Amino acid sequence: MTLDSFLMVLAPPHPAARPFLAGGAVAIVLGLALGAWLFWLGVVFVLFCLYFFRDPNRVPPPRPGVILAPADGRVVSVQPATPPGELGLGPAPRWRVAIFLSVLDVHVNRVPAAGTVTRIAYRHGKFLNASLDKASDENERNALAIRLPDGREIAVVQIAGLIARRILCSVREGDAVSAGARFGIIRFGSRTDLYLPEGVRPLIAEGQRMVGGETVIAELG
């Protein structure tokens, strides 16, 4: 294990971990009085939460005109698709990059490019396996449209997975956001889709591993 990998495992947890860590702490305290099994269950749960909710710092590349990965994970689909209708970005297909996050990946979502959040739309849905292509259309999701400085727009969609039951988004419509900044988290396995501006092609391929806020997915040109 490299030093960077070791430091990432030890990264402080995202604030979304607090209620889970508090529950684990209660189990540990009760376990001291009620039995070793509850104590060790609490310890394991706390350690798992510290790992799952880890929130390492990321350094966006100092390159203008690039679009970054919005999440850690494996690319499961690179193909043209129509953005979610609730964002109002029109019916024209554009390149979509779908990233699947397993429970072992960092689940903090990152802003792909600097701009202004113009629309946030939450939609209830199913909880299918997030690696399936139809998860983009059928699963519960939270979609963001971001207008870039040149007027073009991109879309990022947080999608709940098979065991994910909570999507958190920390930005609001009208917020100015910077590339690589945190904007949310999805609990316990999920997927994040990125819709590129019309006419922009991705530089990555299916099967590649992404590092949220650092991996370059496309160049605006």
Side-chain angles (χ1 to χ4, degrees):
M1 177 181 290
T2 65
L3 178 60
D4 287 343
S5 298
F6 182 72
L7 293 176
M8 186 177 73
V9 172
L10 295 180
H14 188 275
R18 291 170 183 168
F20 296 93
L21 293 175
V26 170
I28 291 174
V29 172
L30 292 177
L32 293 174
L34 300 179
W37 67 270
L38 182 58
F39 172 84
W40 287 112
L41 181 63
V43 169
V44 171
F45 182 73
V46 166
L47 291 176
F48 169 76
C49 288
L50 288 173
Y51 180 77
F52 177 84
F53 287 101
R54 65 196 186 281
D55 185 11
N57 290 323
R58 294 288 163 78
V59 181
R63 292 172 56 188
V66 298
I67 299 179
L68 308 177
D72 288 32
R74 178 175 57 89
V75 176
V76 293
S77 175
V78 181
Q79 61 183 14
T82 302
E86 58 266 29
L87 290 180
L89 297 181
R94 53 176 74 192
W95 283 99
R96 182 188 69 196
V97 177
I99 303 171
F100 174 72
L101 297 77
S102 76
V103 293
L104 300 179
D105 289 310
V106 173
H107 273 59
V108 178
N109 291 127
R110 303 276 177 165
V111 176
T116 302
V117 179
T118 57
R119 176 76 170 159
I120 299 177
Y122 181 83
R123 197 196 73 170
H124 291 286
K126 299 178 180 179
F127 295 95
L128 304 174
N129 187 331
S131 64
L132 300 176
D133 191 59
K134 61 182 178 180
S136 292
D137 298 320
E138 299 185 20
N139 278 24
E140 185 163 327
R141 69 193 186 202
N142 185 62
L144 292 79
I146 301 174
R147 180 176 293 119
L148 306 178
D150 63 7
R152 289 183 284 181
E153 289 187 298
I154 60 175
V156 186
V157 186
Q158 300 169 285
I159 302 171
L162 186 63
I163 58 175
R165 287 297 185 271
R166 187 69 187 276
I167 298 173
L168 302 179
C169 180
S170 58
V171 298
R172 298 181 179 181
E173 293 180 2
D175 284 355
V177 291
S178 57
R182 302 167 176 86
F183 77 85
I185 188 171
I186 315 173
R187 294 176 183 168
F188 307 120
S190 54
R191 172 169 163 170
T192 304
D193 287 356
L194 171 65
Y195 292 82
L196 301 176
E198 293 183 58
V200 174
R201 297 180 63 89
L203 302 175
I204 49 82
E206 186 176 320
Q208 282 188 248
R209 297 288 305 180
M210 299 289 103
V211 177
E214 292 189 354
T215 303
V216 173
I217 282 185
E219 294 181 345
L220 290 171

